[in-house]
Amino acid sequence: MNVYNIHLFTIISLLACLLAMYWTQRNQVASDEEKLGVGKGIVKLLGLWIGIPCFLASAQASYQYGIIGMLGYSVAGILGLLFIFMVNRKIIYQRQPLRYLPLLWVLEDILISVLAGKMILNLIYSINDHLSIAFVTSFLLLMLAVQFGKPNQASFVIVLLAMSATMLLPTLVYLKVSVPTVYSGVKFLATDMLRLDISSSWSLAGALLVRFMTGSLIHPRLRITFHQIKVSKRGLCFCLAPLIWACLPISMGTLSFVSKAEAIWPSFPDQVSVMVVGYFAGQIGIVLLIVTLIIILITAVPQATLGEQKSAVWMRGAIILVAGAISLLFPKLTILDTMLYFALIWAAVAPVVLLISKLGRGGAAIVIIAGLTTGCFYSLTSGVTIGVLVDVLVSVSVAVLLTIPTNWKKRRNSLGPTFGSD
């Protein structure tokens, strides 16, 4: 692999993508009340739902949990987008039950970006972890200063790159490593990847389902995009976008089978897709993957922000620094682990988002504390996937129990005074 050619092609490709992003921003005006057609709505949804985890965490799930992990990740993502379309839409868009809740989403997004940037610099450019984290954190702070408060119109570029990666990366890899070779290698070296009776794989699939469904309620930009699609009466977008999106995690997940068949053992499981592409996809493949991840990194900070107030920029900067500190303190933290740990929060908060008008502040606090406490306890004793599942069951159960008196009172008032009463 010629490193100089990779550097040159990466720079040229990045400049072309940045030019396309600039041209898109110049010719479009972003508005929360903008009406969307079917095509534009699908592209906007995909731009929000396609992120770094689709390229790295999906392959990690497949690498660690086999075919159930790969399919579970894809199905969870599909149901996550459909879920926000099916639940009470007015509550989701109009109410913001917890003031600082979106900041936690920003922290997860930025932390994943820091981990991904560290991985790229470490694997491709052989820069140590500390310098990589410092560089990525400085880069995100620069992007925050340059783009904060400006509309993010990079969805088309991200979707174009992601769909290109979906088709080209597995094709380039399997042209060099044939499918029969991969099947034979997996059959003899990693038979557990094809098994369907492993409980840990199914618990991961359930935890990912909880993460995507509850996370869709918290996603700051998805709320606004949903409102735009609702105003435009383009509900078909929520049916087609998930099916198109699912091709990406399945495509990247298949690369983990190549890793097991060819005895490629990454230091951390979330590195598997980058390593397989680097070994077998050639210069075109590795440049495509690097450019796609860098473009997502460039848009990570503006996409995560909610408000346009300049006074809030310091808070986003503090979140970036916190994310960098977390990645330094926990060097073995992976992207899939980050998603599952934050899923503990989303699972406890989701019932509050849906039932805040019936719970009140006191009831909301009880639901969150009960869910997080039990979820963390089971995470420590039985694993984080079990913790997420217990978390959502407890929080939903407590929320339903607390709303019973409110529902009974409303029902009683709706019936009016009974016959013979004063």
Side-chain angles (χ1 to χ4, degrees), residues 1-2 33 36 73 91 112 137-139 154 160 164 174 177 184 186 192 196 212 284 325 348 354 373-374 396-397 405:
M1 185 188 306
N2 193 324
E33 301 299 327
L36 304 176
Y73 190 100
I91 292 179
I112 290 174
T137 303
S138 302
F139 176 78
L160 182 62
S164 301
Y174 282 100
V177 185
S184 300
V186 171
D192 58 320
L196 304 178
F212 278 105
I284 295 178
L354 293 174
T373 303
T374 54
V396 170
S397 300

Side-chain angles (χ1 to χ4, degrees), residues 25 47-52 96 99-114 140 143-144 147-155 158 211 215 218-225 295-309 312-313 315-317 319-320 323 342 346:
Q25 283 187 339
L48 293 174
W49 215 234
I50 291 173
I52 289 174
Q96 186 61 57
R99 181 180 177 184
Y100 296 105
L101 186 60
L103 297 180
L104 290 175
W105 181 275
V106 176
L107 177 59
E108 181 191 10
D109 200 22
I110 297 300
L111 180 55
I112 290 174
S113 299
V114 172
L140 292 176
M143 292 298 101
L144 175 65
Q147 301 192 48
F148 182 80
K150 295 182 180 179
N152 176 22
Q153 299 291 337
S155 296
I158 292 175
R211 192 272 174 189
I218 315 300
H219 197 303
R221 295 301 306 176
L222 190 59
R223 293 155 50 92
I224 297 174
T225 302
I295 291 297
I296 296 177
L297 282 175
I298 290 174
T299 60
V301 175
Q303 181 169 315
T305 56
L306 273 177
E308 304 296 329
Q309 298 85 2
V313 68
M315 189 173 294
R316 297 332 193 245
I319 291 175
I320 294 174
F342 275 91
W346 311 143

Side-chain angles (χ1 to χ4, degrees), residues 174 177-187 254 257-259 261-262:
Y174 282 100
V177 185
S178 63
V179 174
T181 302
V182 173
Y183 177 76
S184 300
V186 171
K187 186 176 181 181
T254 58
F257 292 89
V258 178
S259 175
E262 296 295 319

Side-chain angles (χ1 to χ4, degrees), residues 156-199:
F156 177 76
V157 177
I158 292 175
V159 172
L160 182 62
L161 289 171
M163 292 300 102
S164 301
T166 300
M167 295 182 291
L168 289 178
L169 293 183
T171 302
L172 294 171
V173 169
Y174 282 100
L175 283 175
K176 199 165 186 179
V177 185
S178 63
V179 174
T181 302
V182 173
Y183 177 76
S184 300
V186 171
K187 186 176 181 181
F188 289 104
L189 297 176
T191 55
D192 58 320
M193 295 190 72
L194 303 176
R195 291 178 57 184
L196 304 178
D197 58 345
I198 301 177
S199 58

Side-chain angles (χ1 to χ4, degrees), residues 357-376:
S357 59
K358 298 180 180 180
L359 289 172
R361 291 186 177 182
I366 294 174
V367 171
I368 294 173
I369 293 173
L372 275 178
T373 303
T374 54
C376 292

Side-chain angles (χ1 to χ4, degrees), residues 16-87:
C17 292
L18 291 174
L19 182 62
M21 289 169 57
Y22 171 77
W23 185 262
T24 305
Q25 283 187 339
R26 183 181 177 183
N27 288 276
Q28 293 185 9
V29 177
S31 171
D32 291 351
E33 301 299 327
E34 177 187 8
K35 292 186 177 181
L36 304 176
V38 175
K40 192 174 181 179
I42 291 174
V43 170
K44 200 159 187 178
L45 279 176
L46 288 175
L48 293 174
W49 215 234
I50 291 173
I52 289 174
C54 291
F55 293 90
L56 305 179
S58 58
Q60 178 183 353
S62 178
Y63 181 82
Q64 292 183 288
Y65 299 93
I67 192 170
I68 297 300
M70 179 182 69
L71 296 178
Y73 190 100
S74 303
V75 173
I78 292 174
L79 295 179
L81 269 179
L82 294 177
F83 179 70
I84 194 175
F85 180 70
M86 295 171 62
V87 297

